[in-house]
Every structure is written in structure tokens, then in C-alpha cells.
Amino acid sequence: MADNPRAKRLADLIREVVAQKLQRDVKDPRLGSRVTITDTRITGDLREATVFYTVYGDDADRAEVAAGLNSARGILRSAVGAAAGVKHTPSLEFVPDALPENARNLDDLFDRARERDEEVRRASAGADYAAGADPYVSKDEKDATDEKED
């Protein structure tokens, strides 16, 4: 998305209009309340908008919602055009948001790291240091120890 304020305002408006239209006016049973609009980005020339969404459900539900959004694209674009009042209504592209999946992957990685940390803690519970209790023995102490052994 461009850094200009007009593009930011239009992107926010598109997100709100699409979400409201999906909730209230689009009667496609594939969409229902399973889809959430998470973000919208628009190009600097205000011609193309990318709408990110998440779906609650499995892969079959995601495929159904994607097909439903693609079929409702014209209605949603018309609603955006009516609400925005711009000379050219941006074309809409719907992209599944990867954020929930990435968050799930991170949670799995954190769980594995906790398990490995716990394994290391259990393995080191009764272990001694490899070089003794004080591995930083001074040279004088070492010489004194060596003389006692002789």
C-alpha cells in the first residue's frame, strides 16, 4: 500500500464496506459468518485493492469461501464504489490471510522448544560439571594440587 493518506483511508473504507456487505447483504450460504476481513491494501494509483480474509474451518470451508468471495466480487465492488465516491472503483482481489496459520506454526515451534528445554532440564538434573565444580582454577592452585598428588 502506498504511504499517502488517501490510499490509507480508501483501504480502511474498503475493509469496512466489504465486511458490512458480507455480513448483511450477501446471501451466499458459502460465506455466512465463517469469513473475517482482516486487512486491505491498495496500490498507489488506487486501481487495485487486495482484501485479506480468514476462514474458520477446514480446507473444504476455505475453498467454499474463496469461491463465494469470487462470485460476490462484483456486488462488493459496486458497494465500494457507491461508498467511496471515487472516479475509478478499485478492482478487488481476495487473498486468504496467512497470519492465523503462521501463528499456529509459531505456537507449534514454541511447544517443541519447551519440550526440548524440559528434556535438557531432566537430563541435567543429577549431572556434574565436566571440569569439576570450578573450571577456572588458577595456575597456582593447579600447581599446589599437582604437588600434593606427587
Side-chain angles (χ1 to χ4, degrees):
M1 178 170 72
D3 288 335
N4 67 35
R6 183 174 181 202
K8 173 89 171 106
R9 284 192 312 268
L10 184 58
D12 290 343
L13 178 72
I14 291 171
R15 186 183 68 240
E16 290 174 19
V17 168
V18 169
Q20 287 176 359
K21 201 73 167 157
L22 286 174
Q23 185 179 22
R24 296 181 186 158
D25 298 332
V26 177
K27 303 297 181 199
D28 193 339
R30 296 176 289 187
L31 299 174
S33 61
R34 298 183 304 182
V35 62
T36 302
I37 304 300
T38 57
D39 192 19
T40 304
R41 299 202 181 139
I42 192 162
T43 58
D45 61 357
L46 308 179
R47 296 281 182 162
E48 298 173 8
T50 305
V51 180
F52 294 93
Y53 66 93
T54 59
V55 178
Y56 300 107
D58 58 359
D59 290 335
D61 292 336
R62 290 185 193 107
E64 286 180 8
V65 167
L69 286 172
N70 284 331
S71 70
R73 181 179 295 177
I75 296 168
L76 296 173
R77 185 174 183 217
S78 297
V80 167
V86 292
K87 186 174 185 178
H88 176 77
T89 303
S91 61
L92 302 177
E93 178 185 354
F94 294 96
V95 176
D97 197 350
L99 187 65
E101 185 175 320
N102 290 343
R104 245 188 324 267
N105 289 341
L106 284 175
D107 285 341
D108 291 343
L109 289 173
F110 288 143
D111 289 341
R112 278 193 257 152
R114 281 187 208 100
E115 289 171 4
R116 288 181 185 165
D117 287 348
E118 188 58 36
E119 288 175 14
V120 169
R121 252 185 239 109
R122 276 182 272 162
S124 66
D128 291 331
Y129 294 104
D134 187 9
Y136 302 104
V137 178
S138 67
K139 185 176 180 184
D140 296 333
E141 292 175 3
K142 186 175 182 179
D143 291 340
T145 311
D146 289 342
E147 288 176 9
K148 288 182 185 177
E149 290 178 3
D150 290 335

